[in-house]
C-alpha cells in the first residue's frame, strides 16, 4: 500500500465497489505499516486555516481525507513536497522526523489520522529550527 522506508509516501487503499457504493477496509498486516494505537480526525477547518507546523520524534501516521481535500506540506529538513489529498481511497504515510503543515482544507474536509502511538506531548518538535537541528544531528 505504501512505500516502506521513505519518509512519506502516498498510497491507495483497496476499494470494494458495487452498485450500492464503495467500502474501504483497513485491517492488520494487509493494510497497515504499523499497529494503530490512536485514531483521530480533524473537521470544521475554516477557510484559510493552517494546521500542523510540527514534526514527531517517533510517531508514524497514516492520513486519509475521508471527505473533501487538503494539502500537506512535507519537509525532511533538506527538501519540501506538497501532497494533495483529494480522494477517500488515498492515504499518506508520514514517518518520524518529518515537518508537516496542512492547509487548503475544503469546507467538507474530514481528515482521518491513524497513529502508531498514543498522544504524547514530548514527541512533538514545534520549533522549525529545533527540527532542523534534530535532523542534522542524526
Ligand atoms: P494540534 O497538535 O495543534 O493539531 P494539528 O497538528 O492538527 O494542528 O492539536 C490540537 C489540540 O489537541 C492540542 O491541544 C493537542 C490536542 N490533541 C490531543 O489531545 N490528542 C491528539 O491525539 C491530538 C492529535 C491532539
Amino acid at each position: 500500500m505504501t512505500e516502506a522506508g521513505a519518509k512519506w509516501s502516498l498510497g491507495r487503499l483497496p476499494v470494494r465497489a458495487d452498485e450500492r457504493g464503495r467500502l474501504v477496509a483497513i485491517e492488520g498486516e494487509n493494510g497497515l505499516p504499523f499497529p494503530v494505537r490512536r485514531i483521530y480526525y480533524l473537521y470544521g477547518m475554516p477557510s484559510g486555516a493552517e494546521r500542523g507546523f510540527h514534526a514527531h520524534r517517533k510517531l508514524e501516521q497514516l492520513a486519509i481525507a475521508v471527505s473533501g481535500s487538503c494539502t500537506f506540506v512535507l519537509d525532511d529538513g533538506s527538501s519540501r513536497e506538497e501532497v494533495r489529498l483529494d480522494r477517500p481511497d488515498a492515504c499518506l504515510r508520514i514517518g518520524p522526523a518529518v515537518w508537516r503543515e496542512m492547509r487548503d482544507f475544503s469546507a467538507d474536509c474530514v481528515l482521518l489520522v491513524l497513529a502508531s502511538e498514543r498522544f504524547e506531548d514530548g514527541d512533538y518538535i514545534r520549533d522549525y529550527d529545533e527540527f532542523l537541528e534534530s535532523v542534522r544531528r542524526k
Side-chain angles (χ1 to χ4, degrees):
M1 179 181 65
T2 55
E3 197 188 323
K7 296 228 163 208
W8 59 78
S9 56
L10 189 60
R12 280 288 163 82
L13 297 162
V15 180
R16 292 160 198 269
D18 61 31
E19 64 285 354
R20 300 166 302 159
R22 289 158 202 265
L23 182 151
V24 173
I26 305 171
E27 185 180 13
E29 297 89 62
N30 287 339
L32 286 172
F34 52 80
V36 174
R37 297 212 171 81
R38 174 164 52 113
I39 297 170
Y40 63 92
Y41 51 94
L42 309 174
Y43 65 100
M45 282 68 79
S47 167
E50 296 190 321
R51 303 195 61 125
F53 294 88
H54 64 256
H56 288 282
R57 297 175 203 280
K58 288 195 315 214
L59 191 74
E60 292 183 64
Q61 292 168 303
L62 269 188
I64 303 163
V66 292
S67 169
S69 56
C70 67
T71 298
F72 273 77
V73 179
L74 301 162
D75 179 337
D76 64 3
S78 49
S79 66
R80 270 189 172 221
E81 187 185 353
E82 285 196 11
V83 177
R84 183 86 182 148
L85 280 183
D86 59 4
R87 43 186 300 163
D89 63 346
C91 71
L92 175 64
R93 186 187 67 80
I94 308 173
V98 174
W99 183 266
R100 86 285 314 271
E101 300 167 9
M102 295 97 86
R103 62 178 187 227
D104 298 332
F105 295 98
S106 63
D108 60 346
C109 183
V110 180
L111 182 63
L112 176 70
V113 182
L114 314 183
S116 64
E117 306 292 339
R118 297 182 67 164
F119 179 74
E120 199 188 318
D121 202 54
D123 190 60
Y124 279 72
I125 304 174
R126 292 195 174 88
D127 180 85
Y128 187 70
D129 290 334
E130 190 189 327
F131 163 68
L132 288 181
E133 263 173 48
S134 77
V135 170
R136 283 177 193 146
R137 272 200 305 271
K138 279 188 186 157

